[in-house]
Amino acid sequence: MRQAVSPGPFVDVPEPPDLPDPLPEPDVADLRLDRVMAALSDPLRLEIVRRLLLERQEFDHPCGWFGFDRPKSSLTHHFRALREAGLIRQRQYGLERRSHVRVDDIEVRFPGLLALVASWTPPDD
Amino acid sequence: MRQAVSPGPFVDVPEPPDLPDPLPEPDVADLRLDRVMAALSDPLRLEIVRRLLLERQEFDHPCGWFGFDRPKSSLTHHFRALREAGLIRQRQYGLERRSHVRVDDIEVRFPGLLALVASWTPPDD
DNA sequence: TGCTAAGTTCGAGAAAACTCGTACAAGGAG
DNA sequence: CTCCTTGTACGAGTTTTCTCGAACTTAGCA
């Protein structure tokens, strides 16, 4: 069923059971294109989603895995923006809060969008 | 050649020669995904692009054709945001300034993006 | 019992975007 | 010329977003 829903290049990695509950996030039916676009209008957030897509075979990545040179409170802000727009799902593992892209959900509602993000390259200026 | 570049459902309507020069706009190579996303993060602008796509067989549409109940200065603001992001091209015809989506350019740089906008429906709240 | 590490919450300052009124420019019809 | 229409430019007020420091929370470990 999962593959039938998302025939594109992005397929969710199957997850082991008994995971911690996801943090609050919008339901698939409540995803809004304008909100998603706004979340993806920031270069740092584009980079977060891009790298989550490229290295998605690894398990969910904690906030510090990206190596951004920003204060932790700034990162919290941007990850929350992505989660509240519905682009990523976050779960708490002990101290870490790990994230992954909601590939199936986004692909169903906005097919092809993640491919654009995956092929994005950060501006070099 | 044009069809080879853009095999998707969006193909530019051929334009008659001797058109007025377009207003200043970014070159195709300078289109930035984050800028385009920011331009499409506003519901009114999404609606503008959507309706330009749906009724693109008609000729370019002037600002007032949409019938938005907003001050003219607000509309100027939003149309300029779309043009500066590279989503629309604007030409001056006498008094009117007519707009159309840069379908080929966007489709080449961000394939599939316009399909998402075309199938968007404005929020009903 | 502390100590460290990951990340949050709060709040404030700065920057950007949105909205709109007003004044202005310029084409077209009479 | 005069009036009407389409739309711009400017500027101010408001709202949103971004950014970051400081204090706090919690898990794991020695």
Side-chain angles (χ1 to χ4, degrees):
Chain A
M1 283 308 284
R2 181 170 275 179
Q3 289 172 348
V5 163
S6 170
F10 296 108
V11 179
D12 257 350
V13 180
E15 294 180 352
D18 294 334
L19 297 177
D21 284 339
L23 285 106
E25 66 183 20
D27 191 75
V28 199
D30 295 330
L31 296 182
R32 289 278 190 74
L33 185 57
D34 54 336
R35 305 275 175 84
V36 170
M37 294 289 196
L40 295 177
S41 67
D42 184 282
L44 186 73
R45 294 196 290 255
L46 270 177
E47 176 70 4
I48 291 172
V49 176
R50 184 180 75 90
R51 292 188 50 191
L52 284 178
L53 286 174
L54 294 187
E55 269 145 299
R56 137 181 60 95
Q57 50 277 21
E58 322 289 329
F59 206 55
D60 299 359
H61 298 286
C63 182
W65 167 82
F66 298 85
F68 293 127
D69 188 19
R70 302 282 189 102
K72 291 185 288 182
S73 51
S74 298
L75 298 182
T76 300
H77 168 72
H78 288 294
F79 277 89
R80 182 175 22 160
L82 288 171
R83 175 170 51 84
E84 291 181 346
L87 277 159
I88 66 175
R89 174 165 297 144
Q90 295 186 284
R91 286 196 169 92
Q92 196 79 29
Y93 290 82
L95 273 184
E96 307 183 318
R97 179 170 294 194
R98 302 191 194 149
S99 307
H100 70 270
V101 181
R102 294 172 60 181
V103 177
D104 281 4
D105 292 345
I106 301 294
E107 203 66 18
V108 166
R109 295 283 276 106
F110 312 116
L113 181 66
L114 294 180
L116 298 177
V117 180
S119 64
W120 178 74
T121 47
D124 42 44
D125 52 17
Chain B
M1 282 307 283
R2 181 169 274 177
Q3 289 173 346
V5 164
S6 169
F10 296 108
V11 179
D12 257 349
V13 180
E15 293 180 353
D18 294 334
L19 296 178
D21 284 340
L23 286 114
E25 66 182 20
D27 191 77
V28 198
D30 295 331
L31 296 182
R32 290 281 184 75
L33 185 57
D34 53 338
R35 304 276 174 84
V36 170
M37 294 289 196
L40 295 177
S41 68
D42 184 281
L44 187 74
R45 294 196 292 255
L46 271 177
E47 176 72 3
I48 291 173
V49 177
R50 184 180 76 90
R51 293 188 49 191
L52 284 178
L53 285 175
L54 295 188
E55 268 145 300
R56 138 180 60 93
Q57 51 277 22
E58 321 290 329
F59 207 55
D60 298 0
H61 298 287
C63 184
W65 167 81
F66 297 85
F68 293 126
D69 188 19
R70 302 281 190 101
K72 291 185 289 182
S73 50
S74 298
L75 297 182
T76 300
H77 168 71
H78 288 293
F79 276 89
R80 183 178 17 163
L82 288 171
R83 175 170 51 84
E84 292 180 346
L87 276 159
I88 67 174
R89 174 166 297 144
Q90 295 186 285
R91 286 196 170 91
Q92 195 78 29
Y93 289 81
L95 274 184
E96 308 182 319
R97 178 169 293 192
R98 302 189 194 151
S99 306
H100 70 272
V101 180
R102 294 172 60 180
V103 176
D104 282 4
D105 292 345
I106 301 294
E107 203 65 20
V108 166
R109 295 283 276 104
F110 313 115
L113 181 67
L114 294 181
L116 298 178
V117 180
S119 64
W120 179 73
T121 48
D124 42 44
D125 53 15

